[in-house]
Amino acid sequence: MMTIRTGDQPVAHPGGEGQVFPCTLMQERLWSRARSNRPHGLNVAMRWLVIGRLTQDVAHRALQALVDRHEILRTYLCEIDGVPKQVILQRCPVKLRSIDLTALGAEAAMARAEEIARGEATDPIDLGEAPLFRAGLLRLAPDRSILLITFHAAIADGWSIGLLLAEFLATATAIERGATGSGGEPELQVADYALWERELLASGALEESRRYWQGKLRGVVGTRVPGDHPPVGRGGSRGEILSLLLPAELSRSLDSFASRHGFTLYTLAVAALALLLNRVTREAKIVIGSQVAHREEPSAELLVGPTVNLITLCLPVDSQASLLTLARLAADEVQESLLHQNLPFESVLASLPDGADQRLHAVNLVVHRSYSGTTETAQARSSFNLVSLPSFSSGTQWDLTFFLIWRDEGWRLAIEADSDLYDASTVQALLEGWRTCLEALVSSPNLAPVDCPALHSITPRAASATTIEAPALQVGSDREPIPVHDPVRQVACFHEDGARTPMIAINNRSVYYQLARALGADRPFIDIQTYHPDGPLDLSGYSFDDFATYAVRLIRWARPTGPYLLGGHCVYGALAFEAARQLQRMGEKIELVCLFDTWAPGYRESMSPSNQKRRARQLRTRHRLNRIEQYRKGEIGLKDLAWLPVLRRLGYQTPAAEPTEADLFAGRWFDDHLRDAAARHRPAPATIDTVLFRSAETLSGRLFDERMGWGSIVAGKLYLTHVESAHLDMFQEKPAADIASFLGPLLAGIENTRGG
C-alpha cells in the first residue's frame, strides 16, 4: 500500500467496525445525489453470457478473492459529523445469488433472465451496507449461464470493471486447477487515491486548471435536445438504451481516417456529435459533457475504484466551413480540455450555481474500448469464457448519453435516454443521425455541412410547446451567433491590386489610411470595421470567442482563404489574436498578428485587488499630468482642467447628453460590449507569431508588463517594438511610417521564407 497514508492515520469507525477515510470528491457528489430527489442512474449494471461450465462454487470463491484483495469492494459510506466518509471493513463475505432457469424452455429462460437483469439494474444499492455491489449467476443450461454484477458508481467505473473482469477470469481459472486464487494487495487503493486527491488540491498545483475551467464555463449553458414530453417532475428513473453496430467497412474507415489525419476516435466522436446537435438544435455553439478515465498516473492504471472525471467541451459549428475543419476544431478543443482534466469536476462545480452539472451536461459523451469484450476475455485453458451482453439502463443522470464503444465485432453506437423526455423513435433517429455524421466526416471531409447532401436528412427538432427550459447559468450565453448583415458597409480596401499578403486590420472606425499608405501599394490593406450596421444591439451575453467568430466571418467574407496577416488597435488587437486562433484551427496559415498598444485580456483582472488599486492610482496620476500638459499647450481651458472634475465629484455635473446618431453609427456601443467580454476572457497559449507595437504613452513598471501580458499567451515568436506616439495617435503619419518601416522587412522575410 502506498505510504501516502503516513501522517493521515485511519480512524476507527465509531461503531467499532472498519477504518474511516475521506471520500473522493466524486463519491461525495454521488452520496449527495443518492440522498436527493433524483437518486437514479447510479448503478453500473453489467452482464455476461457464460459459455462453458462455470460452477457456483468457483464463481463465488473468485468473487470473494476479489473482495479480499480490493478494499473498495468491502467499503461502505456513512456520514460522520455531517461529512460522508469511506468505511473499509477488514472482512466482508460476498453473496452470489443463484437462480436455476433450466426448467424453462430456452426462449422462456432467456426472457426471464432479461427480466431479472432489468430489475437488478434499477434496484437501488444501499450506500450504508458493504459490499456496494451484488452478483448473480443465472443458469440457462449446463453449459450456458448469465453472470450479473451490478456495482454502485461510488465504487467502480468502466476501467475498474475491465480490471475486475480480467482478474475474475484469472482467479476462477486458478481455482479450477486447485490454487487458492488469492493475490497480493494492490499498490494503490481508493482510500490512498482520496487522500492524494485532497493533497493535490491543497498544494495549489491545479490553480491554473481551476482558472481555466472557471473562465471557460462562465456563462455557458449545455446544449439540450428538445424533448417529446415536458420535463415536469422528471427524476431520471426511467431510462432506455438503444444501440447499433457500425458496418465493418465504416469501422475501418474511421480508424483509417483518424490515423491519416492524426485524430483519435474520441475526437471524431466529438466532432460528429457536435455536428448532429448543430443539425438538430440549430445552435452554432455546442456544449456537451464527457467522461475521462483520469488515470494518467501509472499506479492508477491498476486501481480498482472510481476515478472517472467529467469535462465540458464547447465547440463552434460553422455550416460554411468544411467537415475536416470541424474535426480539427474538435481535436483542439479535446486537447486543450484534457490538459486540465486533473481538476475534479466537483471542485469546478463549487464555484457554479446549484444544478450547474445538469445544465452543462444535458448531453454526455462516453468513448472507450470495451471493458467487457468477448474474445478478449476468452481463456484457452479455462472451462468457460465470457461474452458481453448489452447493458440495461439503471436510470439516467443526464437527458442523453451517447456512447461509442469498441467491441470485437466493431464500433457500436449507443444512446441512453431519459424515457420521460424522449420517445424510442426519437432516440433511434438520433442514433442514425450520429452514424450519418460519422460517415460524412470520413467520406466527404472537404464539404461544408450546408453542401453535404447526406446531412440534409437530419431535420431540426422544434421545442415542445410544453417544454420548460432550465434556467441559464448566466444570461445570453445560448443566443444565436452575432449576425453578419451587410459586410459591404463594414469592409474598406486599399491597394487591391497589390501582390503581397493583404494586411487585415480590425477596428471600429477607419484610422488606418496612413498605415496602408506607408506599407506601400504592393500590399493590399483591408480595414474591417466591426460595428454592427443594425446596431445598437444587446450583446451583453456574448463571450469574447463569440465576438472573434463574428470577426472571422467578416475576415473570410473579405478574403476567403489564407495566408492571413491580421492586426488591431487596443482591444481590437486582442480580437485579431482570437480570430487568428480560430482561423488557425480551421487549417489556415497565420503569417503574423500585429497588436497595436493592446493589453492581454485578463492581465489586469488577474492581479490582486490591492495591485489593481495601485495600478488605477498610477493611471489616474498619469491622466492628471496629461491634462495639465494639455492646459499648458492651450488645448483645454481652466474650467476643463479644474472645475469640471470637482463638479463631477460633488455630483453637480450635468448628465451626459444622449448619444447622437453619429455616435451610434460609429459603434461606441459595440466597443463597450467588446471590452466587457474581453475583461472576462482568459486566452490560452497559441503558437502564433506576433508583433507588439507599444506606444510611448503606455506606463512602465511592476504593474505594467513590458510585453503587456502577452508573454505567457504567445507561444510563437513575440516581437516587441516601441512607437513614439500617444495611444490614440499611433496611426498618424509619422508613427505609421515607423510601424511600416519595422513591418516591411519582417513581412518580406516571412513571405520569402514561404516563397510568396
Side-chain angles (χ1 to χ4, degrees):
M1 188 171 298
M2 292 180 66
T3 58
I4 191 170
R5 294 192 191 181
T6 303
D8 278 288
Q9 294 298 323
V11 297
H13 183 255
E17 187 179 10
Q19 291 183 315
V20 179
F21 290 91
C23 289
T24 67
L25 295 186
M26 187 185 78
Q27 286 176 323
E28 289 184 352
R29 176 168 59 86
L30 294 176
W31 167 269
S32 297
R33 186 177 176 88
R35 293 157 61 92
S36 72
N37 61 353
R38 297 186 58 193
H40 312 290
L42 301 183
N43 291 350
V44 183
M46 306 303 302
R47 62 186 186 130
W48 296 271
L49 176 65
V50 183
I51 301 175
R53 185 168 181 81
L54 173 63
T55 68
Q56 176 79 11
D57 178 63
V58 168
H60 182 265
R61 290 168 61 190
L63 282 175
Q64 187 64 62
L66 299 187
V67 172
D68 294 343
R69 175 172 158 78
H70 300 286
E71 290 180 350
I72 192 65
L73 299 183
R74 54 181 194 274
T75 294
Y76 67 92
L77 306 187
C78 73
E79 192 172 282
I80 300 176
D81 297 328
V83 178
K85 300 285 186 180
Q86 298 185 76
V87 181
I88 302 172
L89 302 180
Q90 197 68 25
R91 176 76 179 160
C92 181
V94 68
K95 297 178 182 178
L96 177 64
R97 185 182 179 191
S98 177
I99 300 178
D100 191 343
L101 302 176
T102 56
L104 303 175
E107 187 174 333
M110 182 58 73
R112 177 58 181 150
E114 294 212 345
E115 181 183 346
I116 293 171
R118 284 184 182 274
E120 284 291 296
T122 56
D123 286 348
I125 295 176
D126 184 0
L127 281 172
E129 184 176 349
L132 298 182
F133 75 92
R134 53 177 175 259
L137 190 63
L138 314 182
R139 188 73 63 188
L140 304 177
D143 61 348
R144 287 289 187 278
S145 303
I146 291 180
L147 176 65
L148 304 176
I149 307 182
T150 303
F151 301 88
H152 195 285
I155 67 164
D157 55 19
W159 190 294
S160 302
I161 292 170
L163 296 174
L164 289 172
L165 179 66
E167 194 171 326
F168 174 83
L169 284 162
T171 303
T173 301
I175 291 172
E176 285 181 329
R177 296 180 195 155
T180 62
S182 61
E185 188 176 86
E187 177 186 1
L188 183 67
Q189 301 272 16
V190 174
D192 304 312
Y193 180 88
L195 293 171
W196 169 81
E197 179 183 64
R198 291 172 185 275
E199 288 188 3
L200 183 62
L201 284 170
S203 71
L206 299 179
E207 285 309 302
E208 181 182 351
S209 293
R210 189 187 305 278
R211 289 192 295 271
Y212 168 81
W213 288 115
Q214 288 175 344
K216 180 175 183 175
L217 300 183
R218 185 182 292 111
V220 169
V221 176
T223 300
R224 177 168 262 113
V225 176
D228 299 301
H229 309 286
V232 178
R234 173 189 175 270
S237 59
R238 296 194 312 121
E240 192 69 35
I241 299 176
L242 296 181
S243 70
L244 63 83
L245 179 66
L246 295 182
E249 183 178 350
L250 179 54
S251 287
R252 288 192 294 270
S253 295
L254 286 170
D255 285 328
S256 174
F257 183 81
S259 176
R260 189 163 63 252
H261 292 282
F263 297 141
T264 63
L265 266 295
Y266 180 48
T267 288
L268 294 185
V270 170
L273 180 55
L275 181 59
L276 170 69
L277 296 176
N278 167 258
R279 302 293 299 178
V280 169
T281 68
R282 287 297 187 250
E283 293 180 12
K285 184 176 183 179
I286 301 303
V287 179
I288 62 174
S290 189
Q291 294 174 309
V292 292
H294 195 208
R295 292 175 183 259
E296 295 73 37
E297 292 292 327
S299 58
E301 291 184 1
L302 299 179
L303 171 66
V304 170
T307 68
V308 66
N309 195 20
L310 292 172
I311 60 174
T312 306
L313 302 172
C314 307
L315 193 64
V317 180
D318 186 347
S319 62
Q320 303 294 328
S322 70
L323 296 177
L324 182 57
T325 293
L326 174 62
R328 287 171 175 158
L329 286 169
D332 286 348
E333 173 66 10
V334 167
Q335 182 180 18
E336 188 174 89
S337 296
L338 291 181
L339 287 175
H340 301 281
Q341 66 173 303
N342 286 333
L343 183 72
F345 180 68
E346 292 75 17
S347 181
V348 181
L349 283 180
S351 63
L352 297 176
D354 291 342
D357 57 334
Q358 297 302 311
R359 292 191 284 273
L360 281 172
H361 298 166
V363 176
N364 194 50
L365 172 67
V366 178
V367 178
H368 59 68
R369 298 271 172 177
S370 174
Y371 47 69
S372 56
T374 54
T375 58
E376 66 192 63
T377 66
Q379 301 291 305
R381 292 172 291 176
S382 175
S383 61
F384 70 94
N385 69 340
L386 304 180
V387 176
S388 174
L389 295 176
S391 301
F392 290 115
S393 175
S394 64
T396 62
Q397 294 191 53
W398 299 283
D399 295 356
L400 293 165
T401 298
F402 289 73
F403 297 88
L404 176 61
I405 305 172
W406 172 258
R407 306 280 189 183
D408 293 320
E409 64 270 23
W411 284 103
R412 180 173 289 276
L413 305 182
I415 299 177
E416 181 179 35
D418 186 337
S419 299
D420 290 330
L421 289 179
Y422 302 100
D423 294 334
S425 58
T426 296
V427 179
Q428 186 65 38
L430 290 172
L431 199 58
E432 292 170 358
W434 194 21
R435 176 182 61 187
T436 298
C437 292
L438 281 167
E439 290 173 334
L441 275 172
V442 299
S443 63
S444 307
N446 295 318
L447 288 182
V450 70
D451 299 322
C452 185
L455 298 179
H456 295 168
S457 63
I458 304 173
T459 57
R461 285 184 56 79
S464 168
T466 55
T467 295
I468 301 174
E469 294 296 337
L473 299 185
Q474 287 190 11
V475 66
S477 58
D478 56 350
R479 294 179 178 177
E480 290 296 315
I482 301 171
V484 173
H485 177 67
D486 189 6
V488 173
R489 294 170 56 188
Q490 297 173 252
V491 178
C493 299
F494 308 97
H495 310 315
E496 295 182 63
D497 295 330
R500 293 192 175 277
T501 303
M503 173 74 178
I504 302 177
I506 302 174
N507 206 351
N508 216 13
R509 52 194 60 83
S510 290
V511 295
Y512 292 114
Y513 173 72
Q514 294 291 353
L515 179 58
R517 181 181 175 187
L519 285 172
D522 62 341
R523 185 170 303 282
F525 197 102
I526 301 173
D527 182 359
I528 292 181
Q529 301 176 40
T530 51
Y531 69 83
H532 204 285
D534 295 335
L537 304 177
D538 180 11
L539 303 179
S540 55
Y542 289 95
S543 70
F544 201 69
D545 286 332
D546 294 330
F547 281 95
T549 300
Y550 168 68
V552 165
R553 295 175 71 188
L554 287 169
I555 291 168
R556 299 193 80 172
W557 181 90
R559 182 174 170 84
T561 60
Y564 287 102
L565 165 60
L566 303 180
H569 182 234
C570 196
V571 69
Y572 287 91
L575 186 63
F577 190 86
E578 289 307 311
R581 188 199 303 271
Q582 291 190 15
L583 287 166
Q584 190 180 64
R585 286 176 173 174
M586 295 175 184
E588 298 290 357
K589 170 68 176 176
I590 307 299
E591 291 194 340
L592 192 69
V593 173
C594 299
L595 306 173
F596 300 108
D597 231 19
T598 299
W599 286 99
Y603 174 76
R604 174 178 59 83
E605 291 79 8
S606 299
M607 292 180 179
S608 66
S610 60
N611 279 343
Q612 288 190 42
K613 290 178 181 178
R614 292 188 186 98
R615 192 175 191 273
R617 282 198 300 270
Q618 292 182 42
L619 288 170
R620 285 196 298 270
T621 300
R622 177 60 178 266
H623 176 71
R624 285 195 294 269
L625 292 173
N626 287 342
R627 299 284 286 176
I628 292 171
E629 185 64 24
Q630 287 178 297
Y631 171 71
R632 289 174 177 169
K633 292 179 178 179
E635 296 174 359
I636 61 173
L638 184 60
K639 178 182 177 182
D640 294 310
L641 177 65
W643 286 108
L644 290 182
V646 171
L647 290 173
R648 278 195 293 269
R649 284 197 298 271
L650 294 175
Y652 297 136
Q653 174 61 34
T654 304
E658 290 295 319
T660 66
E661 184 176 347
D663 290 333
L664 295 178
F665 184 78
R668 292 179 185 175
W669 60 272
F670 191 95
D671 291 349
D672 293 339
H673 286 305
L674 181 63
R675 288 192 181 96
D676 288 343
R680 301 190 303 268
H681 185 57
R682 301 294 181 270
T687 308
I688 298 172
D689 290 350
T690 305
V691 57
L692 173 62
F693 295 95
R694 182 178 167 123
S695 78
E697 188 176 353
T698 304
L699 293 179
S700 299
R702 183 174 66 87
L703 302 178
F704 297 89
D705 176 35
E706 181 74 6
R707 295 186 292 178
M708 302 179 77
W710 290 100
S712 60
I713 298 171
V714 177
K717 298 176 182 176
L718 177 57
Y719 305 92
L720 172 63
T721 185
H722 295 267
V723 180
E724 288 300 320
S725 76
H727 176 73
L728 295 176
D729 297 333
M730 293 188 77
F731 304 108
Q732 296 296 323
E733 185 173 1
K734 174 61 169 65
D738 293 341
I739 292 171
S741 67
F742 180 88
L743 271 182
L746 179 61
L747 294 176
I750 294 172
E751 291 165 343
N752 290 338
T753 298
R754 67 170 174 83

